[in-house]
Amino acid sequence: MLLKKTLLASAVIGAMLATAANAETLRWTRSADSLTMDPHSQNEGPTHSVNHQIFDTLLYQDMDVEYQPGLATEWHVKEDEPTVWVFKIREGVTFHEGQALTAEDVVFSLNRARHEHADMRGLLTSISEVRAADDFTVEVVTHEPNPLLPNNLTNLFIMSREWAEEHGVEEPQNYAAGEETYAVRNANGTGPFRVESREPDVRTEFVRNDEYWGIDHYPMEISRLVFTPIESASTRVAALLSGEVDFLQETPVQDIERLGSADGLKNEQGAENRTIFLGMQMGAATLETADTDDNPFADRRVREAINLAVDATTIQTAVMRGNSEPAGMIAPPFVNGYTEEMDVVLPADLDRAQELMAEAGYGDGFRVTLQCPNDRYVNDEQICQAVVSMLARIGITVDLVAQTRSLHFAELARGEYDFYMLGWGVPTMDSEYVFNYLYHTKEDDRGSWNFTGYSDERVDELTVAMGQETNEDARNEMIAEAWQIVHDEIVYIPIHHQMLTWSMRDDIDFKVQSENTPHFKYLKFN
């Protein structure tokens, strides 16, 4: 009897210890919160980072940025029908509130993301129809063959149709108009964590979804995830040093060395899939914030002068402390279509820049406002301050407005800016994504982030064609031609490819992901 009691007590203690080992809280911070919980409203990095904890996609990019099955277990082009992609949907999956996942939820979600208010619609322009072939098979019909379609779905989150109808959110939030809906502050996904409480821009608490379909496939060692966005860089760093948080995403460059050598902490570093650049409204007859009666940015010579005055190498050393790579194109090296020749950065040349300004009729310079976020990219406001000083040397007086990203992106989306900072990642790992969003003429379903007024018929043709061409060599020729055109036109002013540092407790096993999306289901504790 005593032996039985001893064995029973040992079993109970063992179970308690096992539960404690699996009941680990991770406290996470970065500079900014998700813009919205609506999974289709905004195509924006921090928003996706939060939503990837709650929702699943048909396929996704893991911590090595390799494509992995999510809610789709397999996908292929239908035999003898090159314009039909077939996705087999994972069976036995339930949403956090108990609804069973079926093909109808996938059909609903893809169609919702094609709505005019959905910033995700630019990824789905090739689609003509989405249909359920049976309860667990979805067919996506495209206008022409689209070899990239699966790549475009890695941030396309799947919602419950029943839940959306119950709460009146069948359409995505109109973010630019400031619309409030139930989906803005509430979420019901199939992902590894459930939202327990949320106070936007203050604190969001998640708990592990113990019914997750991947519970036995991923480490899933975090039982509670507490996300606290902290705008101030010094306060974020102090919170990690004091033990108030465990994981700091996007470590300020001035604190990398300090945190890496601190007791109990470590850094993980790598190249990010993101390029930081400046955009200019070149298509309008006049600028809203300039002191001229015309549009200086419409003159290529002015754009070239700005490109020669903005010294990316100095920004790399003085502002980024070496944690960036000066850029000549808006695509990092691991994106299809990238070339070292196109990414060459010209040395700053103030004499030539001043000559170009004079040739364009702006020898005395002009005044304009530059709009920047101050909580989105690494040292974003400091980069813009450096740009202000650099442009002053060629006679351009820049009034800097730096504000929180929620205001920055909402105003940018309304086309209110003459001159602005933006950063761009390429989740599809292909140049078509860049051209579709940034260079194609701004119209209903393309060019949704082209706020420059740039429009070129040949670039538009190539953008559409590269999304349909299945011959790899022919397709790469199209991409190269398109890059050459926009490079010659100096549509944007590239600054640098961003580098990533994540700082964390030294007992955490979690490497940097180049998309800057921490999939916490992979995190382990040593």
Side-chain angles (χ1 to χ4, degrees):
M1 186 69 174
L2 179 61
L3 178 60
K4 287 184 178 180
K5 287 184 177 180
T6 302
L7 290 173
L8 179 60
S10 298
V12 170
I13 291 170
M16 291 173 62
L17 289 173
T19 301
N22 290 322
E24 187 83 52
T25 295
L26 184 85
R27 296 163 299 173
W28 162 37
T29 189
R30 69 183 303 176
S31 62
D33 198 359
S34 169
L35 292 172
T36 176
M37 301 291 274
D38 188 311
H40 305 137
S41 174
Q42 290 295 290
N43 184 13
E44 193 257 354
T47 302
H48 289 333
S49 289
V50 168
N51 281 335
H52 268 292
Q53 316 311 323
I54 308 164
F55 296 93
D56 285 309
T57 52
L58 294 179
L59 62 155
Y60 71 99
Q61 291 168 298
D62 64 15
M63 299 302 289
D64 294 314
V65 203
E66 298 290 335
Y67 292 101
Q68 300 292 345
L71 292 181
T73 56
E74 59 180 279
W75 51 92
H76 60 271
V77 175
K78 195 171 185 177
E79 188 175 357
D80 299 325
E81 294 188 57
T83 61
V84 179
W85 276 92
V86 179
F87 294 86
K88 294 293 184 179
I89 307 305
R90 192 178 297 275
E91 299 186 29
V93 176
T94 57
F95 288 90
H96 298 158
E97 296 185 11
Q99 302 90 344
L101 172 74
T102 72
E104 291 297 338
D105 298 301
V106 176
V107 172
F108 166 76
S109 298
L110 294 183
N111 283 329
R112 187 178 189 271
R114 297 168 64 201
H115 189 274
E116 61 178 336
H117 294 159
D119 197 25
M120 304 304 296
R121 70 186 186 281
L123 291 161
L124 307 176
T125 55
S126 67
I127 294 176
S128 62
E129 181 187 3
V130 185
R131 62 197 183 207
D134 58 43
D135 285 349
F136 295 100
T137 304
V138 172
E139 294 184 345
V140 181
V141 185
T142 57
H143 298 290
E144 301 290 340
N146 181 359
L148 291 177
L149 182 67
N151 302 40
N152 290 356
L153 302 178
T154 57
N155 291 318
L156 206 294
F157 302 102
I158 304 304
M159 296 178 71
S160 162
R161 178 177 181 173
E162 179 184 338
W163 183 88
E165 291 173 347
E166 178 185 352
H167 296 290
V169 290
E170 295 96 327
E171 296 180 358
Q173 170 202 19
N174 185 343
Y175 182 83
E179 182 183 19
E180 274 285 335
T181 73
Y182 188 81
V184 172
R185 299 172 186 270
N186 299 274
N188 176 37
T190 61
F193 297 94
R194 294 184 289 108
V195 178
E196 184 177 73
S197 64
R198 175 162 171 78
E199 187 176 355
D201 297 317
V202 178
R203 184 183 180 95
T204 303
E205 295 199 29
F206 309 82
V207 293
R208 182 173 57 207
N209 175 16
D210 290 327
E211 303 302 317
Y212 186 49
W213 58 265
I215 194 78
D216 296 323
H217 181 70
Y218 304 101
M220 296 285 290
E221 294 189 10
I222 300 170
S223 60
R224 176 173 292 271
L225 178 64
V226 180
F227 176 44
T228 307
I230 302 174
E231 182 177 344
S232 166
S234 60
T235 305
R236 288 197 304 278
V237 170
L240 183 63
L241 286 167
S242 68
E244 294 175 47
V245 299
D246 310 303
F247 177 81
L248 169 57
Q249 193 175 349
E250 300 166 342
T251 303
V253 295
Q254 64 270 20
D255 295 298
I256 291 173
E257 184 176 349
R258 177 188 179 195
L259 293 178
S261 60
D263 288 343
L265 299 177
K266 67 176 182 178
N267 293 326
E268 294 287 347
Q269 296 181 290
E272 185 178 0
N273 180 2
R274 185 169 309 282
T275 305
I276 307 300
F277 59 95
L278 302 175
M280 303 155 287
Q281 171 51 261
M282 66 180 72
T286 59
L287 299 178
E288 293 292 328
T289 65
D291 61 354
T292 64
D293 57 5
D294 58 2
N295 182 355
F297 295 145
D299 194 312
R300 184 195 178 281
R301 292 168 295 187
V302 172
R303 303 196 298 274
E304 183 178 357
I306 293 172
N307 199 36
L308 290 171
V310 174
D311 188 345
T313 302
T314 295
I315 290 174
Q316 177 193 34
T317 56
V319 180
M320 303 303 292
R321 304 193 184 199
N323 288 277
S324 66
E325 188 62 40
M329 65 186 297
I330 305 175
F334 30 75
V335 168
N336 181 50
Y338 170 91
T339 65
E340 291 184 356
E341 295 76 15
M342 201 68 67
D343 202 28
V344 168
V345 178
L346 297 176
D349 189 339
L350 295 182
D351 291 338
R352 178 56 183 154
Q354 290 167 341
E355 288 176 4
L356 288 163
M357 290 287 288
E359 290 173 12
Y362 301 100
D364 295 329
F366 59 89
R367 192 179 201 103
V368 71
T369 297
L370 172 62
Q371 304 277 354
C372 292
N374 60 14
D375 58 3
R376 174 59 186 97
Y377 312 113
V378 178
N379 279 2
D380 41 16
E381 184 174 2
Q382 294 92 325
I383 294 168
C384 288
Q385 290 169 344
V387 169
V388 169
S389 299
M390 291 169 178
L391 294 185
R393 297 183 295 180
I394 62 170
I396 301 177
T397 301
V398 177
D399 298 311
L400 176 61
V401 175
Q403 58 187 346
T404 184
R405 64 194 246 286
S406 59
L407 293 174
H408 180 79
F409 290 129
E411 292 172 358
L412 180 61
R414 293 195 293 267
E416 297 178 6
Y417 293 166
D418 294 331
F419 193 25
Y420 58 91
M421 169 187 271
L422 189 60
W424 201 250
V426 190
T428 64
M429 300 297 175
D430 190 271
S431 291
E432 186 270 346
Y433 182 86
V434 183
F435 283 93
N436 195 345
Y437 275 97
L438 296 181
Y439 290 107
H440 191 285
T441 300
K442 190 173 181 63
E443 52 189 33
D444 292 342
D445 55 0
R446 296 184 190 271
S448 58
W449 284 79
N450 176 2
F451 302 106
T452 68
Y454 175 73
S455 179
D456 183 276
E457 185 176 351
R458 180 57 179 162
V459 170
D460 291 352
E461 292 173 355
L462 289 167
T463 300
V464 174
M466 66 179 73
Q468 301 171 351
E469 181 58 62
T470 56
N471 181 283
E472 184 176 358
D473 291 338
R475 190 172 180 280
N476 286 337
E477 288 178 7
M478 294 173 183
I479 291 172
E481 181 184 348
W483 274 120
Q484 191 63 58
I485 293 171
V486 299
H487 186 270
D488 292 344
E489 284 294 318
I490 314 178
V491 180
Y492 296 102
I493 309 298
I495 297 177
H496 57 237
H497 305 306
Q498 191 162 277
M499 302 294 290
L500 266 182
T501 302
W502 293 351
S503 299
M504 63 198 78
R505 286 177 4 208
D506 64 5
D507 66 336
I508 292 174
D509 180 6
F510 200 49
K511 64 182 179 181
V512 162
Q513 197 242 30
S514 67
E515 285 290 295
N516 199 17
T517 300
H519 291 284
F520 287 115
K521 62 187 178 183
Y522 283 100
L523 185 144
K524 297 180 181 179
F525 295 99
N526 294 323

